[in-house]
Amino acid sequence: MATGGTIAGTGDIKGKYEAGTIPGSRLLDSVKDAFDINRVEVQELFSIDSKDMNENMWQEILICVKNFLAKDDAAGVVITHGTDTMAETAFFLEYTLDTDKPVVLTGAMRPASSLSADGPMNLWSALSVADNKESKGRGVLVVMNGEIHSAAYVAKIMRNDVSAFASVNTGAIGSVLNGDVRYFLPKSRPKHKIYKIEREKKLPFVPIIYSYAGDDGEVVGSVLRYGAKGLVYAGFGSGTFSKSVKNALDEAVKKGVKVMISSKVLKGRTLTEDKKFMSADFLTPEQARILLLLKIMDDV
Ligand code: SIN
């Protein structure tokens, strides 16, 4: 399932660049010498830069994946995606898809037309992972640069290079080299609830607020005035914040807004002693936002 991104992007050395210009069928052509592409059905879902991905599109992807996997002869799904929000789409699917079949997201850091484009190798790797029986029952996966990551733990951690993704708390769960797939540990799926999403449900406004020296709580106040139903505060260190922010977050909870505390520091666990706030635990702020969104939708 093609959604666009740099893997389907074109650019030249002068820096002119556009994501999502090449259709999925042409991306598939680039791996025809490595993988039996006659076994692959292409669905062109979107051709966007993934910065324009949104929750409605996530729901469309979810439905397409479910419909496709319902076929007996469907072994798995590969979703080609821009790298900017790939970890978020993967996390959303991880928490909403109830399947043992492999669902694998991949992308590229270099446009298809660039020197040493990484897209074809990533696509071959992702197809090999989706086609491998050992990938069943491991949840949604992200395959980039020869590494297999669980969608529950992965984040984009690098702005430029092809080694752009890492699971900073756990490490990659496997490796794929020239189509040869290996896992480091026996099969298991990350343990968490799977949320059932009804497509028509209106999605609540749930922003992330990022901590900084001098935050006086005004941003928290303004998102409340704007109608936030929940918010993620990406605090310092293990999830701490200033006294003014604490007052603003207390006020948010009093107004019935759900507050989840995460941290802008990527590695480690959030410690939230104040029980009126939810803790994002190991989740990044973006993952925490998706989980909070799902929790709020589940409650209404
Ligand atoms: C995008 O996220 O669509 C553009 C950037 C990328 O794919 O690396």
Side-chain angles (χ1 to χ4, degrees):
M1 295 183 186
T3 71
T6 292
I7 190 168
T10 40
D12 59 33
I13 47 171
K14 294 193 195 82
K16 270 208 262 157
Y17 159 77
E18 203 180 339
T21 52
I22 300 174
S25 52
R26 266 183 57 206
L27 299 185
L28 195 58
D29 258 357
S30 69
V31 297
K32 65 176 183 308
D33 294 336
F35 196 87
D36 178 6
I37 63 170
N38 294 320
R39 297 174 50 225
V40 184
E41 180 186 309
V42 179
Q43 292 186 20
E44 314 278 357
L45 299 191
F46 314 114
S47 42
I48 59 160
D49 185 311
S50 80
K51 287 173 272 301
D52 298 320
M53 182 57 69
N54 61 36
E55 298 92 339
N56 292 323
M57 289 170 165
W58 286 343
Q59 295 187 70
E60 277 184 51
I61 297 173
L62 176 65
I63 288 168
C64 290
V65 172
K66 276 186 179 167
N67 288 344
F68 181 74
L69 290 181
K71 299 180 198 171
D72 287 341
D73 62 345
V77 171
V78 170
I79 302 171
T80 55
H81 198 291
T83 64
D84 286 330
T85 57
M86 183 158 59
E88 290 180 62
T89 300
F91 187 87
F92 174 82
L93 294 173
E94 166 67 24
Y95 273 70
T96 51
L97 256 178
D98 196 4
T99 178
D100 262 4
K101 293 185 180 178
V103 175
V104 183
L105 285 88
T106 196
M109 290 298 286
R110 296 181 184 142
S113 58
S114 71
L115 286 178
S116 296
D118 52 330
M121 184 56 116
N122 284 343
L123 182 56
W124 179 22
S125 297
L127 287 163
S128 306
V129 169
D131 191 33
N132 191 293
K133 287 195 177 62
E134 279 301 306
S135 303
K136 284 176 110 180
R138 292 183 187 268
V140 176
L141 303 170
V142 168
V143 171
M144 288 289 286
N145 199 34
E147 294 180 341
I148 309 170
H149 295 273
S150 163
Y153 310 123
V154 74
K156 184 174 179 181
I157 49 105
M158 213 292 166
R159 297 174 186 180
N160 320 107
D161 290 349
V162 295
S163 56
F165 284 77
S167 301
V168 293
N169 287 304
T170 58
I173 63 167
S175 149
V176 50
L177 178 64
N178 298 331
D180 183 17
V181 177
R182 304 284 171 90
Y183 285 97
F184 303 138
L185 293 169
K187 254 181 224 184
S188 74
R189 182 165 184 178
K191 284 197 178 34
H192 55 75
K193 175 170 171 168
I194 308 281
Y195 289 83
K196 301 248 175 302
I197 297 295
E198 284 169 39
R199 193 176 154 75
E200 317 77 54
K201 259 190 191 161
K202 188 168 164 1
L203 293 156
F205 172 48
V206 178
I208 300 170
I209 301 171
Y210 200 87
S211 54
Y212 55 92
D215 186 353
D216 60 3
E218 189 46 48
V219 184
V220 173
S222 61
V223 302
L224 299 189
R225 288 192 290 281
Y226 202 72
K229 294 282 176 284
L231 69 92
V232 170
Y233 193 83
F236 303 104
S238 56
T240 51
F241 32 77
S242 68
K243 290 192 189 86
S244 317
V245 169
K246 159 108 177 71
N247 292 339
L249 294 176
D250 284 346
E251 199 49 40
V253 173
K254 265 194 219 142
K255 291 192 161 123
V257 174
K258 301 227 182 316
V259 174
M260 190 176 277
I261 305 299
S262 181
S263 170
K264 64 181 180 180
V265 181
L266 205 50
K267 193 167 181 179
R269 194 168 182 173
T270 306
L271 299 172
T272 312
E273 275 152 28
D274 193 333
K275 295 289 172 253
K276 58 178 169 307
F277 305 135
M278 283 177 262
S279 170
D281 208 22
F282 288 104
L283 302 183
T284 63
E286 293 89 342
Q287 291 175 326
R289 190 188 91 85
I290 295 165
L291 179 58
L292 186 54
L293 200 67
L294 293 171
K295 280 180 183 293
I296 293 171
M297 287 167 79
D298 206 36
D299 280 354
V300 290

